[in-house]
Each structure stands twice: as structure tokens, then as C-alpha cells.
Amino acid sequence: QVQLVESGGGLVQPGGSLRLSCAASRNIFSINVMGWYRQGPGGQRELVAHISNMGITNYADSVKGRFTISRDIAKDTVYLQMNSLKPEDTAVYYCNAKTYTMDYWGKGTLVTVSS
């Protein structure tokens, strides 16, 4: 069982930055993949970025060069640094943890990019 708690969302102007955090209830090194997904207004949930337990990262094309996923194993926390934010980045951002047998989700944190 893994509980995930996201934080760091909010309102930001276009071109601004935010850092999201996802705190896990167990050692993230024991989790195969941790990632961030988002769901915009009227849209489907989509992958933003993920990081494997070996530290390999992957990004959606729409965020490459602007977003960075990282982790602090000692704190069991994964981060998503978001720079150069655009209005189309507006969404609820969800933390995800994949083990061999289960998918776990956080409740999400809202990011609104607007002037």
C-alpha cells in the first residue's frame, strides 16, 4: 500500500514557475516508477513525466525542456519543477506510483496558469 500526498499547486502567471511535491508513505526506491500525470478541463488524464527507481526519466513532448522531475529518496518525495508555464498547462496534477502489482494515485493538486 502506498499513500501519496501532492502539494505545491496554485495560481501562476504565464511564464512563471511552480514546484510540485509528492510525498510517499513508503520508501520510493522500492517503487518501480513514480510519475506525474495531469488532467485539464474536459480532457483525459495524460502522462507529464516519470522517473524509475533507477533514476531514468521520461517526459511528454509538450513539457520537455520546461519541466523537470526529480526525487529525494531520503525524504520519499518526488518533485516536478515547472518553468515557463503556459495557460495550456492548467490542470489538476496527480502523483502516481507503480509497483509490480498496483497503481496508486494521489488526490491531485490544481495548477492554474492565467494572467
Side-chain angles (χ1 to χ4, degrees):
Q1 192 81 351
V2 182
Q3 282 80 46
L4 303 170
V5 179
E6 303 100 333
S7 61
L11 174 64
V12 63
Q13 293 187 342
S17 298
L18 279 176
R19 188 177 81 157
L20 305 182
S21 299
C22 172
S25 62
R26 77 180 214 201
N27 183 356
I28 61 173
F29 194 70
S30 70
I31 298 171
N32 291 358
V33 180
M34 290 200 67
W36 289 95
Y37 288 71
R38 67 185 181 187
Q39 187 166 11
Q44 293 186 335
R45 194 172 295 191
E46 62 178 5
L47 174 68
V48 176
H50 64 66
I51 183 166
S52 75
N53 58 358
M54 299 305 292
I56 298 170
T57 59
N58 186 51
Y59 296 90
D61 287 343
S62 59
V63 306
K64 281 181 181 175
R66 299 189 298 124
F67 291 11
T68 302
I69 189 169
S70 63
R71 62 183 180 174
D72 186 331
I73 294 173
K75 295 183 178 179
D76 294 325
T77 299
V78 174
Y79 304 99
L80 185 69
Q81 178 66 44
M82 305 185 294
N83 298 329
S84 302
L85 282 160
K86 305 174 181 180
E88 50 263 44
D89 295 317
T90 294
V92 178
Y93 284 72
Y94 297 91
C95 183
N96 172 262
K98 297 186 189 298
T99 66
Y100 285 114
T101 56
M102 292 288 290
D103 247 329
Y104 299 93
W105 294 92
K107 293 182 179 180
T109 185
L110 177 63
V111 172
T112 303
V113 184
S114 175
S115 55

XYZ file of all heavy atoms in Angstrom, residues 5-93:
674
model
N 0.698 12.109 -1.302
C 0.128 13.419 -0.985
C 0.854 14.477 -1.796
O 2.059 14.688 -1.622
C 0.224 13.738 0.512
C -0.365 15.120 0.791
C -0.503 12.670 1.331
N 0.108 15.143 -2.680
C 0.680 16.202 -3.517
C 0.530 17.551 -2.825
O -0.403 17.759 -2.048
C -0.024 16.273 -4.878
C -0.017 15.004 -5.674
C -1.316 14.240 -5.580
O -2.022 14.386 -4.564
O -1.641 13.493 -6.527
N 1.433 18.450 -3.172
C 1.337 19.830 -2.711
C 2.072 20.723 -3.695
O 2.831 20.227 -4.540
C 1.933 19.989 -1.300
O 3.296 19.642 -1.299
N 1.811 22.025 -3.582
C 2.558 22.984 -4.384
C 1.794 23.614 -5.526
O 2.337 24.489 -6.212
N 0.569 23.200 -5.747
C -0.208 23.809 -6.813
C -0.636 25.216 -6.460
O -0.457 25.681 -5.338
N -1.206 25.889 -7.450
C -1.676 27.246 -7.211
C -1.871 28.003 -8.490
O -1.858 27.431 -9.589
N -2.029 29.303 -8.346
C -2.221 30.204 -9.485
C -0.899 30.872 -9.824
O -0.225 31.413 -8.927
C -3.270 31.259 -9.140
C -3.495 32.368 -10.161
C -4.037 31.805 -11.469
C -4.435 33.425 -9.583
N -0.546 30.838 -11.096
C 0.703 31.446 -11.539
C 0.467 32.106 -12.891
O -0.367 31.658 -13.678
C 1.830 30.386 -11.608
C 1.517 29.316 -12.638
C 3.176 31.012 -11.881
N 1.200 33.169 -13.145
C 1.081 33.859 -14.429
C 1.837 33.117 -15.520
O 2.808 32.395 -15.222
C 1.618 35.285 -14.311
C 0.777 36.181 -13.418
C 1.246 37.625 -13.469
O 2.359 37.918 -13.885
N 0.395 38.537 -13.034
N 1.434 33.274 -16.761
C 2.194 32.674 -17.866
C 3.660 33.083 -17.795
O 3.985 34.241 -17.526
C 1.508 33.247 -19.109
C 0.112 33.510 -18.673
C 0.223 33.969 -17.243
N 4.520 32.103 -18.025
C 5.950 32.339 -17.929
C 6.522 32.093 -16.546
O 7.748 32.063 -16.375
N 5.656 31.883 -15.581
C 6.101 31.663 -14.212
C 6.493 30.229 -13.927
O 6.496 29.369 -14.822
N 6.802 29.968 -12.664
C 7.278 28.657 -12.236
C 6.529 28.195 -10.997
O 6.064 29.008 -10.192
C 8.774 28.706 -11.909
O 9.531 29.046 -13.045
N 6.450 26.883 -10.870
C 5.924 26.245 -9.676
C 6.689 24.956 -9.459
O 7.168 24.347 -10.428
C 4.428 25.900 -9.818
C 3.372 26.976 -9.600
C 1.991 26.404 -9.883
C 3.440 27.557 -8.203
N 6.751 24.518 -8.211
C 7.318 23.209 -7.911
C 6.283 22.398 -7.156
O 5.823 22.807 -6.080
C 8.606 23.305 -7.102
C 9.278 21.941 -6.979
C 10.598 21.992 -6.256
N 10.437 22.024 -4.811
C 11.369 21.631 -3.943
N 12.523 21.158 -4.401
N 11.158 21.697 -2.647
N 5.939 21.264 -7.731
C 5.026 20.333 -7.070
C 5.821 19.295 -6.297
O 6.906 18.894 -6.725
C 4.143 19.628 -8.091
C 3.335 20.522 -9.037
C 2.461 19.660 -9.949
C 2.513 21.523 -8.288
N 5.249 18.858 -5.193
C 5.863 17.810 -4.376
C 4.879 16.668 -4.194
O 3.668 16.898 -4.105
C 6.249 18.350 -3.003
O 7.185 19.395 -3.099
N 5.414 15.467 -4.126
C 4.598 14.280 -3.866
C 5.309 13.468 -2.789
O 6.376 12.905 -3.044
C 4.428 13.455 -5.132
S 3.638 11.847 -4.846
N 4.713 13.424 -1.624
C 5.278 12.675 -0.513
C 4.635 11.286 -0.468
O 3.404 11.170 -0.440
C 5.029 13.408 0.803
N 5.478 10.254 -0.465
C 5.001 8.874 -0.443
C 5.103 8.313 0.973
O 5.950 8.737 1.767
C 5.816 8.016 -1.399
N 4.255 7.328 1.245
C 4.202 6.766 2.592
C 5.208 5.630 2.798
O 5.269 5.066 3.888
C 2.789 6.245 2.888
O 2.443 5.210 1.978
N 5.952 5.309 1.741
C 6.980 4.298 1.915
C 8.180 4.636 1.045
O 8.125 5.539 0.205
C 6.438 2.899 1.588
C 6.304 2.580 0.123
C 5.758 1.177 -0.080
N 6.304 0.536 -1.255
C 5.737 -0.488 -1.872
N 4.613 -1.000 -1.418
N 6.296 -1.036 -2.937
N 9.235 3.901 1.210
C 10.491 4.134 0.508
C 10.276 4.132 -0.998
O 9.902 3.120 -1.583
C 11.489 3.036 0.898
C 12.842 3.228 0.276
O 13.059 4.134 -0.518
N 13.765 2.362 0.630
N 10.510 5.273 -1.655
C 10.235 5.363 -3.095
C 11.204 4.535 -3.914
O 10.927 4.218 -5.068
C 10.215 6.825 -3.589
C 11.561 7.512 -3.368
C 9.096 7.593 -2.928
C 11.641 8.894 -4.003
N 12.340 4.154 -3.331
C 13.269 3.315 -4.083
C 12.662 1.931 -4.307
O 13.048 1.220 -5.232
C 14.607 3.207 -3.349
C 15.707 2.642 -4.197
C 16.246 3.372 -5.242
C 16.194 1.361 -3.965
C 17.253 2.858 -6.035
C 17.198 0.832 -4.750
C 17.734 1.574 -5.783
N 11.693 1.565 -3.486
C 11.031 0.269 -3.624
C 9.878 0.311 -4.628
O 9.265 -0.720 -4.906
C 10.495 -0.195 -2.269
O 9.400 0.607 -1.863
N 9.604 1.478 -5.164
C 8.512 1.656 -6.131
C 9.116 1.683 -7.531
O 10.076 2.414 -7.778
C 7.743 2.951 -5.836
C 7.100 2.867 -4.443
C 6.693 3.198 -6.911
C 6.510 4.171 -3.969
N 8.553 0.923 -8.452
C 9.163 0.797 -9.783
C 9.268 2.136 -10.502
O 10.321 2.504 -11.024
C 8.341 -0.170 -10.641
C 8.461 -1.592 -10.150
O 9.179 -1.875 -9.194
N 7.743 -2.489 -10.790
N 8.152 2.832 -10.567
C 8.106 4.096 -11.286
C 7.224 5.067 -10.519
O 6.137 4.702 -10.070
C 7.532 3.929 -12.715
C 7.507 5.271 -13.438
C 8.328 2.907 -13.501
N 7.686 6.288 -10.398
C 6.835 7.350 -9.866
C 6.707 8.437 -10.914
O 7.665 8.735 -11.625
C 7.415 7.908 -8.574
C 7.330 6.913 -7.434
S 7.453 7.677 -5.823
C 5.934 8.639 -5.757
N 5.508 8.991 -10.999
C 5.299 9.958 -12.057
C 4.250 10.994 -11.733
O 3.589 10.943 -10.693
N 4.161 11.929 -12.640
C 3.156 12.989 -12.582
C 2.276 12.887 -13.828
O 2.791 12.769 -14.952
C 3.807 14.357 -12.530
C 4.477 14.657 -11.234
C 5.798 14.487 -10.924
C 3.856 15.188 -10.059
N 6.037 14.864 -9.633
C 4.852 15.304 -9.077
C 2.555 15.560 -9.732
C 4.593 15.794 -7.796
C 2.290 16.045 -8.461
C 3.293 16.160 -7.510
N 0.991 12.941 -13.611
C 0.009 12.999 -14.680
C -0.806 14.274 -14.484
O -0.802 14.865 -13.408
C -0.928 11.787 -14.620
C -0.290 10.483 -15.034
C 0.657 9.859 -14.218
C -0.627 9.868 -16.236
C 1.248 8.656 -14.598
C -0.046 8.666 -16.621
C 0.888 8.070 -15.800
O 1.472 6.888 -16.182
N -1.510 14.659 -15.520
C -2.383 15.825 -15.388
C -3.660 15.620 -16.188
O -3.686 14.867 -17.160
C -1.683 17.107 -15.838
C -1.377 17.176 -17.316
C -0.581 18.436 -17.627
N -0.271 18.564 -19.051
C 0.524 19.497 -19.562
N 1.112 20.383 -18.758
N 0.735 19.552 -20.857
N -4.684 16.309 -15.728
C -5.967 16.266 -16.411
C -6.507 17.681 -16.486
O -6.842 18.296 -15.467
C -6.947 15.351 -15.680
C -8.247 15.136 -16.428
C -9.058 13.975 -15.860
O -8.753 13.456 -14.786
N -10.065 13.543 -16.585
N -6.551 18.190 -17.707
C -7.056 19.532 -17.931
C -8.562 19.557 -18.058
O -9.204 18.509 -18.115
N -9.136 20.765 -18.128
C -10.596 20.892 -18.234
C -11.135 20.143 -19.447
O -10.748 20.406 -20.575
C -10.801 22.411 -18.383
C -9.573 23.026 -17.813
C -8.464 22.069 -18.102
N -11.983 19.195 -19.204
C -12.597 18.445 -20.288
C -11.679 17.456 -20.984
O -12.057 16.880 -22.014
N -10.479 17.278 -20.453
C -9.528 16.403 -21.124
C -9.314 15.086 -20.398
O -9.872 14.857 -19.335
N -8.490 14.259 -21.019
C -8.152 12.983 -20.397
C -6.883 13.127 -19.569
O -6.084 14.043 -19.787
C -7.939 11.918 -21.486
C -9.210 11.560 -22.244
C -8.989 10.400 -23.205
O -7.878 10.162 -23.649
N -10.040 9.685 -23.516
N -6.720 12.227 -18.638
C -5.507 12.229 -17.837
C -4.340 11.798 -18.725
O -4.435 10.805 -19.450
C -5.648 11.296 -16.640
C -4.591 11.472 -15.584
C -4.897 10.676 -14.349
N -6.119 11.145 -13.677
C -6.477 10.732 -12.459
N -5.741 9.862 -11.800
N -7.586 11.187 -11.913
N -3.255 12.553 -18.669
C -2.100 12.269 -19.511
C -0.824 12.283 -18.691
O -0.719 13.000 -17.699
C -1.992 13.307 -20.642
C -1.795 14.733 -20.168
C -1.642 15.728 -21.311
O -1.786 15.349 -22.485
O -1.361 16.906 -21.008
N 0.137 11.518 -19.172
C 1.435 11.488 -18.517
C 2.171 12.797 -18.741
O 2.236 13.297 -19.864
C 2.272 10.337 -19.064
C 3.711 10.263 -18.575
C 3.771 9.918 -17.096
C 4.512 9.260 -19.397
N 2.752 13.329 -17.678
C 3.606 14.514 -17.783
C 5.076 14.087 -17.742
O 5.867 14.437 -18.612
C 3.319 15.499 -16.643
C 4.277 16.679 -16.699
C 1.868 15.967 -16.692
N 5.425 13.321 -16.717
C 6.806 12.864 -16.565
C 6.826 11.715 -15.585
O 5.960 11.626 -14.711
C 7.698 13.999 -16.056
N 7.839 10.843 -15.733
C 8.015 9.835 -14.704
C 9.488 9.539 -14.512
O 10.336 9.868 -15.353
C 7.182 8.575 -14.964
C 7.512 7.797 -16.185
N 8.704 7.142 -16.371
C 6.777 7.542 -17.287
C 8.691 6.536 -17.523
N 7.537 6.761 -18.112
N 9.774 8.926 -13.364
C 11.147 8.579 -13.012
C 11.139 7.168 -12.442
O 10.314 6.829 -11.578
C 11.742 9.603 -12.019
C 13.204 9.282 -11.715
C 10.924 9.703 -10.736
C 13.935 10.439 -11.020
N 12.030 6.335 -12.950
C 12.090 4.953 -12.484
C 12.892 4.860 -11.191
O 13.582 5.814 -10.799
C 12.721 4.066 -13.549
O 14.119 4.282 -13.586
N 12.852 3.698 -10.565
C 13.628 3.551 -9.338
C 15.128 3.562 -9.629
O 15.936 3.706 -8.712
C 13.224 2.299 -8.565
C 13.384 1.031 -9.370
O 13.774 1.074 -10.527
N 13.077 -0.103 -8.764
N 15.506 3.421 -10.888
C 16.913 3.545 -11.275
C 17.265 4.978 -11.661
O 18.400 5.248 -12.068
C 17.217 2.606 -12.435
C 16.993 1.133 -12.093
S 17.923 0.617 -10.645
C 19.599 0.712 -11.288
N 16.273 5.872 -11.589
C 16.540 7.273 -11.878
C 16.376 7.677 -13.335
O 16.725 8.801 -13.706
N 15.841 6.790 -14.146
C 15.627 7.115 -15.559
C 14.338 7.922 -15.693
O 13.302 7.549 -15.157
C 15.538 5.829 -16.399
C 16.858 5.069 -16.305
C 15.221 6.148 -17.853
C 16.816 3.681 -16.887
N 14.432 9.018 -16.433
C 13.286 9.924 -16.560
C 12.710 9.901 -17.970
O 13.394 9.570 -18.949
C 13.687 11.363 -16.218
O 14.739 11.786 -17.093
C 14.170 11.466 -14.779
N 11.462 10.291 -18.050
C 10.774 10.369 -19.337
C 9.767 11.505 -19.250
O 9.140 11.709 -18.198
C 10.053 9.060 -19.649
C 9.443 9.054 -21.036
O 10.113 9.362 -22.015
N 8.165 8.734 -21.126
N 9.620 12.249 -20.360
C 8.745 13.420 -20.363
C 7.813 13.401 -21.560
O 8.174 12.927 -22.643
C 9.580 14.702 -20.433
C 10.466 14.936 -19.246
C 11.773 14.452 -19.224
C 10.000 15.640 -18.132
C 12.594 14.655 -18.126
C 10.811 15.861 -17.033
C 12.107 15.368 -17.041
O 12.906 15.572 -15.951
N 6.647 13.983 -21.374
C 5.772 14.243 -22.506
C 6.425 15.307 -23.380
O 7.114 16.202 -22.880
C 4.413 14.736 -22.021
N 6.208 15.204 -24.686
C 6.817 16.169 -25.608
C 6.418 17.604 -25.263
O 7.217 18.533 -25.425
C 6.402 15.851 -27.046
C 7.088 14.606 -27.586
O 8.096 14.176 -26.990
O 6.599 14.064 -28.603
N 5.217 17.787 -24.780
C 4.703 19.129 -24.522
C 5.405 19.835 -23.365
O 5.285 21.056 -23.230
C 3.205 19.067 -24.240
O 2.948 18.242 -23.122
N 6.137 19.082 -22.542
C 6.781 19.703 -21.380
C 8.304 19.585 -21.419
O 8.981 20.130 -20.544
C 6.252 19.115 -20.055
C 4.736 19.206 -20.003
C 6.728 17.691 -19.834
N 8.843 18.905 -22.407
C 10.298 18.740 -22.499
C 10.980 20.091 -22.555
O 10.570 20.981 -23.297
C 10.666 17.919 -23.734
C 10.468 16.429 -23.570
C 10.872 15.671 -24.829
C 10.639 14.183 -24.662
N 10.923 13.439 -25.913
N 12.025 20.224 -21.750
C 12.769 21.479 -21.718
C 12.199 22.507 -20.762
O 12.833 23.523 -20.483
N 10.986 22.260 -20.267
C 10.358 23.206 -19.326
C 10.160 22.589 -17.939
O 10.255 23.294 -16.937
C 8.994 23.661 -19.860
C 9.059 24.372 -21.195
C 7.711 24.987 -21.577
N 6.659 23.967 -21.725
C 5.526 23.984 -21.050
N 5.281 24.930 -20.150
N 4.611 23.028 -21.259
N 9.855 21.312 -17.903
C 9.576 20.631 -16.629
C 10.722 19.672 -16.311
O 11.322 19.076 -17.214
C 8.280 19.816 -16.719
C 7.016 20.622 -16.818
C 7.012 21.985 -17.055
C 5.789 19.985 -16.675
C 5.839 22.712 -17.151
C 4.599 20.688 -16.765
C 4.637 22.057 -17.008
N 10.961 19.497 -15.022
C 11.978 18.559 -14.563
C 11.429 17.743 -13.403
O 10.955 18.319 -12.415
C 13.247 19.288 -14.116
O 13.749 20.078 -15.199
C 14.318 18.287 -13.691
N 11.506 16.427 -13.532
C 11.113 15.545 -12.437
C 12.372 15.131 -11.692
O 13.411 14.869 -12.292
C 10.323 14.324 -12.946
C 9.733 13.539 -11.777
C 11.166 13.438 -13.842
C 8.722 12.472 -12.201
N 12.267 15.101 -10.369
C 13.400 14.705 -9.544
C 12.870 14.026 -8.284
O 11.663 13.989 -8.049
C 14.261 15.915 -9.194
O 13.526 16.844 -8.416
N 13.782 13.524 -7.501
C 13.360 12.821 -6.289
C 14.377 13.016 -5.183
O 15.551 13.273 -5.443
C 13.206 11.321 -6.568
C 14.500 10.659 -6.998
C 14.330 9.211 -7.345
N 15.600 8.618 -7.746
C 15.787 7.332 -7.996
N 14.768 6.488 -7.879
N 16.974 6.876 -8.358
N 13.892 12.888 -3.961
C 14.740 12.868 -2.780
C 14.407 11.571 -2.056
O 13.376 11.479 -1.378
C 14.466 14.093 -1.904
C 15.427 14.198 -0.735
O 15.919 13.145 -0.264
O 15.678 15.312 -0.276
N 15.266 10.574 -2.233
C 14.980 9.255 -1.674
C 14.923 9.309 -0.154
O 14.108 8.632 0.475
C 16.020 8.230 -2.171
C 15.867 8.042 -3.677
C 15.865 6.902 -1.442
C 16.928 7.179 -4.312
N 15.764 10.129 0.445
C 15.788 10.224 1.908
C 14.468 10.756 2.459
O 14.078 10.425 3.582
C 16.942 11.103 2.357
N 13.788 11.574 1.653
C 12.512 12.153 2.084
C 11.313 11.434 1.477
O 10.173 11.846 1.726
C 12.461 13.640 1.712
C 13.479 14.494 2.431
C 13.322 15.964 2.063
C 14.326 16.827 2.820
N 14.201 18.262 2.461
N 11.571 10.416 0.658
C 10.482 9.694 -0.015
C 9.559 10.662 -0.752
O 8.321 10.545 -0.698
C 9.680 8.856 0.992
C 10.504 7.725 1.586
O 11.346 7.170 0.849
O 10.328 7.427 2.776
N 10.176 11.575 -1.463
C 9.424 12.635 -2.130
C 9.896 12.786 -3.570
O 11.094 12.715 -3.849
C 9.584 13.970 -1.385
O 9.081 13.817 -0.053
C 8.823 15.094 -2.078
N 8.941 12.975 -4.448
C 9.212 13.257 -5.856
C 8.731 14.675 -6.153
O 7.690 15.100 -5.637
C 8.501 12.241 -6.764
C 8.659 12.601 -8.232
C 9.049 10.842 -6.518
N 9.481 15.363 -6.978
C 9.175 16.756 -7.304
C 8.931 16.915 -8.795
O 9.432 16.143 -9.619
C 10.336 17.658 -6.896
C 10.713 17.552 -5.451
C 11.786 16.755 -5.053
C 10.008 18.245 -4.472
C 12.139 16.651 -3.718
C 10.358 18.147 -3.138
C 11.422 17.349 -2.767
O 11.767 17.243 -1.444
N 8.190 17.944 -9.126
C 8.045 18.358 -10.519
C 8.274 19.862 -10.568
O 7.429 20.639 -10.107
C 6.664 18.006 -11.076
C 6.479 18.303 -12.562
C 7.336 17.350 -13.407
C 5.015 18.188 -12.975
N 9.427 20.244 -11.074
C 9.729 21.656 -11.273
C 9.165 22.080 -12.616
O 9.529 21.507 -13.647
C 11.239 21.890 -11.235
C 11.642 23.333 -11.475
C 11.184 24.273 -10.372
O 11.306 23.945 -9.198
N 10.656 25.428 -10.755
N 8.306 23.061 -12.601
C 7.642 23.518 -13.826
C 8.036 24.969 -14.099
O 7.729 25.854 -13.290
C 6.122 23.398 -13.678
C 5.659 21.998 -13.296
S 3.869 21.826 -13.268
C 3.448 22.917 -11.914
N 8.710 25.189 -15.203
C 9.140 26.529 -15.605
C 8.451 26.921 -16.907
O 7.904 26.064 -17.622
C 10.652 26.554 -15.789
C 11.409 26.233 -14.524
O 10.949 26.521 -13.408
N 12.573 25.629 -14.671
N 8.495 28.185 -17.200
C 7.909 28.713 -18.444
C 6.489 28.206 -18.641
O 6.113 27.716 -19.715
C 8.783 28.319 -19.642
O 10.099 28.797 -19.494
N 5.710 28.315 -17.605
C 4.357 27.762 -17.649
C 3.487 28.497 -18.655
O 3.616 29.717 -18.858
C 3.721 27.812 -16.258
C 4.213 26.705 -15.320
C 3.965 27.065 -13.864
C 3.543 25.385 -15.662
N 2.593 27.716 -19.268
C 1.690 28.227 -20.281
C 0.233 28.000 -19.831
O -0.019 27.083 -19.039
C 1.915 27.492 -21.606
C 3.341 27.526 -22.110
C 3.484 26.655 -23.350
C 4.913 26.648 -23.854
N 5.065 25.800 -25.074
N -0.689 28.761 -20.356
C -2.097 28.542 -19.993
C -2.548 27.100 -20.234
O -3.357 26.568 -19.467
C -2.852 29.529 -20.884
C -1.871 30.649 -21.084
C -0.529 29.984 -21.179
N -2.013 26.474 -21.263
C -2.409 25.097 -21.560
C -1.854 24.089 -20.562
O -2.206 22.905 -20.613
C -1.999 24.692 -22.983
C -0.560 24.983 -23.322
C -0.370 26.292 -24.066
O -0.993 27.318 -23.672
O 0.415 26.303 -25.042
N -1.007 24.528 -19.650
C -0.547 23.649 -18.562
C -1.562 23.605 -17.420
O -1.375 22.825 -16.475
C 0.800 24.129 -18.018
C 1.918 24.023 -19.038
O 1.987 22.997 -19.732
O 2.727 24.972 -19.126
N -2.586 24.411 -17.505
C -3.616 24.413 -16.465
C -4.272 23.040 -16.372
O -4.760 22.509 -17.373
C -4.679 25.479 -16.770
O -4.079 26.775 -16.677
C -5.841 25.389 -15.789
N -4.252 22.467 -15.180
C -4.775 21.116 -14.987
C -4.691 20.745 -13.514
O -4.032 21.432 -12.726
C -3.967 20.108 -15.810
N -5.337 19.654 -13.186
C -5.090 19.005 -11.907
C -3.938 18.025 -12.122
O -3.992 17.202 -13.044
C -6.331 18.259 -11.374
C -6.008 17.557 -10.065
C -7.494 19.229 -11.185
N -2.927 18.143 -11.304
C -1.738 17.305 -11.431
C -1.799 16.209 -10.364
O -1.981 16.495 -9.174
C -0.478 18.150 -11.272
C -0.178 18.961 -12.509
C -0.968 20.060 -12.845
C 0.876 18.630 -13.350
C -0.729 20.788 -13.994
C 1.135 19.372 -14.498
C 0.331 20.437 -14.812
O 0.578 21.162 -15.960
